[in-house]
Amino acid sequence: MSYEYIRYPVPLGADSIITFTTDFGLRDPYVAEMKGVILSGAPMVKLIDITHSIPPGDILACALTLERAVSCYPPGTIHLVVVDPGVGSERRPIAVISSSQIFVGPDNGFATLAINESDYKAYLIENVRAPSGRVSHTFHGRDIFAPACVHLARGGRLSDLGEEIEDIVKIDVRKPEVSVDEVKGEVIYVDHFGNLITNIREGDIKGLDRGRWVVRVGRKWIKGIRRYYSEVEEGDIIALIGSSGRLEIAVRGKNAEQVLGISPGNSVVVCRL
Amino acid sequence: MSYEYIRYPVPLGADSIITFTTDFGLRDPYVAEMKGVILSGAPMVKLIDITHSIPPGDILACALTLERAVSCYPPGTIHLVVVDPGVGSERRPIAVISSSQIFVGPDNGFATLAINESDYKAYLIENVRAPSGRVSHTFHGRDIFAPACVHLARGGRLSDLGEEIEDIVKIDVRKPEVSVDEVKGEVIYVDHFGNLITNIREGDIKGLDRGRWVVRVGRKWIKGIRRYYSEVEEGDIIALIGSSGRLEIAVRGKNAEQVLGISPGNSVVVCRL
Amino acid sequence: MSYEYIRYPVPLGADSIITFTTDFGLRDPYVAEMKGVILSGAPMVKLIDITHSIPPGDILACALTLERAVSCYPPGTIHLVVVDPGVGSERRPIAVISSSQIFVGPDNGFATLAINESDYKAYLIENVRAPSGRVSHTFHGRDIFAPACVHLARGGRLSDLGEEIEDIVKIDVRKPEVSVDEVKGEVIYVDHFGNLITNIREGDIKGLDRGRWVVRVGRKWIKGIRRYYSEVEEGDIIALIGSSGRLEIAVRGKNAEQVLGISPGNSVVVCRL
């Protein structure tokens, strides 16, 4: 099976899509510099921001963000990801293809949750040239990764970027302890609304549909796992399976992080009554 | 008259436009998930962010935002609006067409100020399918509204989405009390610059061009209604008709909300001298 | 040589690009109003946000932002720039072409660092019409500059916008004092990561590659000018030539502005050891 001809799945006549995920924020011109480089080389491309508000250097938040977003994009999409605290050091620039989507960025584990762990191919990025003719030591997003995306968006082969590699860095996302009557996990992400997202997936809770469960977070006990926010009253705490298939703790109409004083790392326990 | 053939007004060869207005913020992947769903189904579409910074659940701010923005967009534009505190409950997903523009979102009044109150058609969204094959209870933006936009952007009929309905929810935007010599209104919105925008429209102030008026806000009396900021000195308070046709209170070169300590709900009175 | 036929350099079949740089923030509909006006008149255009987070009225920050971003964009790009504290007053709306890129905005010096000072042409914008038929006194971005961009994106001539002018406003960006053994400059910009960017360029430091230098900022002495962040330990202060070719002060993995208490205006001295 060849992954090479990546443009096929994109509908005929459509522009290819490049998404952006960074910790650059929206104040500086850095994102726009990368976009300018890409549009200079691949003017028909469609540019989509996933987010530029990853906390600086937070690879886990980046991986969780990509896990959610990537599943919504069509085959052939190129994801440019620059959360890169090690820029300029010996960490490697890579391009990875998995499930017909491509990831371009530093080899630091950012794609751990978005790729199929047992079915991907990875390549070093060795053969691209910054349009300025000169690679800065502090902005590989503009000078290495964006040109690599141009190469790919124009239909170039992954294997032309550089040597294929077997091993890429993966981050260790702690898994919950799962038994029949109890699941012990933790809060791993807090979203814009203050909803507390855990590392417990729907499938970890055996017999969720039939059983009766309680959820403990901090000193609070929450009875039942609900389906949607409006099942409880304004201001009430609620546990539910969120839109990513993970257990979430929320406070209806309020910011659960602030109301409950809970943040990433806090333990969450689900027990059968 | 048929509203059905909505693609006609879009210039030949141009992509159709979908705008986004949400309270999702820019940190999480939620907006990008909706965009991925749309691009997967309607790859030629042009995606424009109106804002994702509506205060969580604030339907009035959303309605005021749309009122301004929508008037600048061409016929055939589809506006996806997800400020949806009641997601998952019995509130209805709807699509509304008015003045050749289409609004897709929850039936909670978000379009009150953007549609022509006496000339619109509204439809339930009943017949779309989430690409994942499964509708979450907490993210209808991705699983119902985005797929509905795909249907419409591909030229699908509004009536194919679901049953036509007569009544949609409207929010009650308080109107000013208008007499010949006085208009009593209030601040309804504060923008990024701290300018205080009121519910008093230019037309509410009779003889604005000829008369002499004073504006009272908090304990301040402002003499005259001006045309532009630089008519007063740096740091001076000014009343003027803003770019939306509403009376605004500003402090030149400063943040009026902070300087004056005024916020939405504060009364504003315009009197003839 | 004629600058008129500006569409030539854009690759055949590609949409022309309009970038946006403003101090409007992302909360209000102002940016989306400008985009709607542009898409109504020039639907095939590609819209790219450089930033909307220029501090209100800060022309220098705007000029520095454009200096970086513009160099990455292809010939024929149109840059719409609205940092416009003098809106509605007698300041002039202008369009400037330099190095085959076009700048549209108020004549307040915003393009000082992005244009070639000895090779540009500038025109008043006198002949465009707001789509609403009426020009507001407070939002020329929507009512004058966006329509001017439409004219240009459709292949219209610069000279049709208005009279050619000789003089445009330039801002005075303080230059460092350069001698063989010492360069005295200052911090002029702090980015999202807290990195302190100075007005000292790589070329100002004679024999940078061979010499030994120390950098003084506040009460700190930094030994050496490095190539990338990971040359020092986490938490260490570092001086390096950043991706814009300017001397930057950073604290590895931390926010240098906060750690060092340094902000724009603080002096930075580079001395040969």
Side-chain angles (χ1 to χ4, degrees):
Chain A
M1 168 181 187
S2 170
Y3 279 111
E4 288 300 324
Y5 189 54
I6 67 157
R7 307 280 301 125
Y8 173 69
V10 177
L12 208 68
D15 307 341
S16 65
I17 300 168
I18 298 180
T19 79
F20 294 79
T21 306
T22 77
D23 59 358
F24 293 176
L26 290 167
R27 211 178 39 140
D28 306 314
Y30 305 148
V31 174
E33 290 179 68
M34 297 195 300
K35 290 181 178 173
V37 167
I38 288 172
L39 290 174
S40 297
M44 298 303 289
V45 98
K46 220 167 190 96
L47 306 178
I48 300 290
D49 297 298
I50 291 183
T51 183
H52 300 290
S53 303
I54 300 291
D58 188 338
I59 314 290
L60 174 59
C62 179
L64 287 164
T65 297
L66 284 174
E67 179 186 34
R68 285 195 64 130
V70 162
S71 65
C72 298
Y73 280 81
T77 301
I78 299 166
H79 302 282
L80 173 52
V81 186
V82 196
V83 176
D84 195 11
V87 62
S89 70
E90 61 298 325
R91 70 94 190 92
R92 306 177 300 181
I94 57 168
V96 182
I97 186 163
S98 178
S99 307
S100 298
Q101 301 207 40
I102 295 180
F103 302 85
V104 172
D107 184 19
N108 60 21
F110 72 82
T112 302
L113 300 172
I115 61 172
N116 181 334
E117 271 196 70
S118 59
D119 186 18
Y120 67 86
K121 280 175 168 250
Y123 298 83
L124 292 181
I125 301 175
E126 300 170 308
N127 304 324
V128 295
R129 194 173 303 179
S132 67
R134 174 181 148 162
V135 173
S136 74
H137 296 287
T138 54
F139 195 1
H140 286 181
R142 181 190 66 191
D143 296 340
I144 293 180
F145 301 126
C149 290
V150 167
H151 169 79
L152 296 168
R154 292 171 67 112
R157 290 167 175 275
L158 277 161
S159 56
D160 288 342
L161 289 175
E163 191 191 343
E164 186 175 349
I165 52 178
E166 291 302 316
D167 57 315
I168 62 171
V169 173
K170 304 229 175 88
I171 55 169
D172 187 34
V173 182
R174 212 175 306 172
K175 297 227 163 90
E177 295 170 33
V178 177
S179 69
V180 173
D181 288 326
E182 194 179 73
V183 185
K184 286 186 183 168
E186 63 184 83
V187 173
I188 52 173
Y189 187 85
V190 181
D191 78 4
H192 167 71
F193 297 99
N195 297 332
L196 307 165
I197 292 145
T198 73
N199 63 344
I200 300 171
R201 290 171 194 276
E202 190 168 6
D204 294 330
I205 309 171
K206 314 294 178 198
L208 175 60
D209 49 338
R210 289 158 292 124
R212 296 172 167 280
W213 297 89
V214 288
V215 177
R216 181 165 58 76
V217 56
R219 293 178 180 182
K220 294 277 180 190
W221 288 91
I222 310 159
K223 204 169 161 186
I225 295 174
R226 311 280 181 149
R227 293 162 66 223
Y228 44 86
Y229 303 121
S230 42
E231 285 187 68
V232 300
E233 297 298 313
E234 195 81 9
D236 280 357
I237 184 172
I238 179 172
L240 77 176
I241 302 298
S243 55
S244 64
R246 292 179 184 278
L247 181 73
E248 298 184 14
I249 316 295
V251 174
R252 186 176 168 199
K254 295 211 177 335
N255 184 307
E257 180 182 37
Q258 287 167 15
V259 170
L260 305 175
I262 301 287
S263 31
N266 270 103
S267 80
V268 174
V269 182
V270 181
C271 319
R272 198 191 296 271
L273 263 193
Chain B
M1 167 181 189
S2 168
Y3 279 109
E4 289 299 323
Y5 190 54
I6 66 156
R7 309 278 302 125
Y8 173 70
V10 177
L12 208 66
D15 306 340
S16 66
I17 301 168
I18 298 181
T19 79
F20 295 79
T21 306
T22 76
D23 59 358
F24 293 175
L26 290 167
R27 211 179 39 142
D28 305 313
Y30 305 148
V31 173
E33 288 178 68
M34 297 194 301
K35 290 181 179 174
V37 167
I38 288 173
L39 289 174
S40 297
M44 299 303 289
V45 97
K46 222 169 190 95
L47 306 178
I48 300 290
D49 298 298
I50 292 184
T51 183
H52 300 289
S53 302
I54 300 290
D58 188 338
I59 313 289
L60 174 60
C62 180
L64 287 164
T65 297
L66 285 173
E67 179 187 33
R68 284 196 64 131
V70 161
S71 65
C72 297
Y73 279 80
T77 302
I78 298 166
H79 302 282
L80 172 52
V81 185
V82 196
V83 176
D84 195 11
V87 63
S89 70
E90 62 298 325
R91 71 94 190 90
R92 307 176 299 180
I94 57 168
V96 181
I97 187 164
S98 178
S99 306
S100 298
Q101 300 206 41
I102 295 181
F103 302 84
V104 172
D107 184 21
N108 60 21
F110 72 82
T112 302
L113 300 172
I115 60 171
N116 182 333
E117 272 196 69
S118 59
D119 186 17
Y120 67 86
K121 279 175 168 252
Y123 299 83
L124 292 182
I125 301 174
E126 302 170 306
N127 304 324
V128 296
R129 193 173 304 181
S132 67
R134 173 180 150 162
V135 172
S136 74
H137 296 287
T138 56
F139 196 0
H140 286 182
R142 182 191 64 191
D143 296 339
I144 294 180
F145 301 126
C149 290
V150 167
H151 169 79
L152 296 168
R154 291 171 68 110
R157 290 167 177 275
L158 277 162
S159 55
D160 289 343
L161 289 176
E163 190 192 344
E164 186 174 348
I165 52 179
E166 291 301 318
D167 58 315
I168 62 172
V169 172
K170 304 230 174 89
I171 57 170
D172 187 35
V173 182
R174 210 174 309 172
K175 297 230 165 90
E177 296 169 33
V178 177
S179 68
V180 173
D181 288 324
E182 194 180 70
V183 185
K184 287 186 183 169
E186 63 185 83
V187 173
I188 51 173
Y189 187 85
V190 181
D191 77 5
H192 166 71
F193 297 99
N195 298 331
L196 307 165
I197 292 145
T198 72
N199 64 344
I200 300 171
R201 289 171 194 274
E202 190 168 5
D204 294 330
I205 309 171
K206 313 296 178 199
L208 175 61
D209 49 339
R210 288 159 293 122
R212 295 170 168 281
W213 297 89
V214 288
V215 177
R216 181 164 58 77
V217 56
R219 293 179 181 183
K220 294 277 181 189
W221 287 90
I222 310 160
K223 204 170 160 184
I225 295 175
R226 311 280 181 151
R227 294 163 66 223
Y228 44 86
Y229 303 121
S230 43
E231 284 187 68
V232 300
E233 298 298 313
E234 195 80 11
D236 280 357
I237 185 173
I238 178 172
L240 77 176
I241 301 297
S243 55
S244 64
R246 292 179 184 278
L247 181 73
E248 298 184 16
I249 317 294
V251 173
R252 185 178 169 198
K254 296 214 178 333
N255 184 306
E257 181 182 35
Q258 287 168 15
V259 170
L260 304 176
I262 301 289
S263 30
N266 270 104
S267 80
V268 174
V269 182
V270 182
C271 320
R272 199 192 294 271
L273 265 193
Chain C
M1 168 181 189
S2 168
Y3 280 110
E4 289 300 324
Y5 189 54
I6 66 155
R7 308 278 302 126
Y8 173 70
V10 178
L12 208 68
D15 306 341
S16 64
I17 301 167
I18 298 180
T19 79
F20 294 80
T21 306
T22 76
D23 59 359
F24 293 176
L26 290 167
R27 211 178 38 141
D28 306 313
Y30 305 148
V31 173
E33 290 178 69
M34 297 195 301
K35 290 181 178 173
V37 167
I38 288 173
L39 291 174
S40 297
M44 299 303 289
V45 98
K46 223 171 187 95
L47 306 177
I48 300 290
D49 298 298
I50 292 184
T51 184
H52 300 289
S53 303
I54 300 290
D58 188 338
I59 313 290
L60 174 59
C62 180
L64 288 163
T65 297
L66 285 174
E67 178 187 33
R68 285 196 64 132
V70 161
S71 65
C72 297
Y73 280 79
T77 302
I78 299 166
H79 301 282
L80 173 53
V81 186
V82 196
V83 177
D84 195 11
V87 62
S89 71
E90 63 296 325
R91 70 95 190 91
R92 307 177 299 181
I94 57 169
V96 181
I97 186 164
S98 177
S99 306
S100 299
Q101 301 205 40
I102 294 180
F103 302 84
V104 172
D107 184 20
N108 60 21
F110 72 83
T112 303
L113 300 172
I115 61 171
N116 181 334
E117 272 195 69
S118 59
D119 187 18
Y120 67 86
K121 280 176 169 248
Y123 299 82
L124 292 182
I125 301 174
E126 301 170 307
N127 304 324
V128 295
R129 193 173 304 180
S132 66
R134 174 181 149 161
V135 172
S136 74
H137 296 287
T138 55
F139 196 1
H140 285 181
R142 182 190 66 191
D143 297 339
I144 293 180
F145 300 127
C149 289
V150 168
H151 169 81
L152 295 167
R154 292 171 69 111
R157 290 166 177 275
L158 278 161
S159 56
D160 289 343
L161 289 176
E163 190 191 344
E164 186 174 347
I165 51 178
E166 292 300 317
D167 58 314
I168 61 171
V169 173
K170 305 228 174 88
I171 55 169
D172 188 35
V173 182
R174 213 176 305 173
K175 297 229 164 88
E177 296 170 32
V178 177
S179 69
V180 173
D181 288 326
E182 195 180 71
V183 184
K184 286 186 182 166
E186 63 186 82
V187 173
I188 52 173
Y189 187 83
V190 180
D191 78 5
H192 167 71
F193 297 99
N195 297 331
L196 307 165
I197 292 146
T198 73
N199 63 344
I200 301 172
R201 290 169 194 276
E202 191 168 5
D204 294 329
I205 309 170
K206 312 298 178 196
L208 174 61
D209 49 339
R210 289 157 294 123
R212 295 171 167 281
W213 297 90
V214 287
V215 177
R216 182 165 57 77
V217 57
R219 291 175 182 187
K220 294 278 181 188
W221 288 90
I222 310 160
K223 204 169 161 185
I225 295 174
R226 311 282 182 150
R227 293 163 66 223
Y228 44 85
Y229 304 121
S230 43
E231 285 187 67
V232 300
E233 299 298 314
E234 196 79 9
D236 280 357
I237 185 173
I238 179 173
L240 78 176
I241 302 297
S243 56
S244 64
R246 292 179 184 277
L247 181 73
E248 298 184 16
I249 317 293
V251 174
R252 187 178 167 198
K254 296 212 175 335
N255 184 306
E257 181 181 36
Q258 287 167 15
V259 170
L260 305 175
I262 300 289
S263 30
N266 271 104
S267 80
V268 173
V269 182
V270 182
C271 319
R272 198 190 296 269
L273 265 193

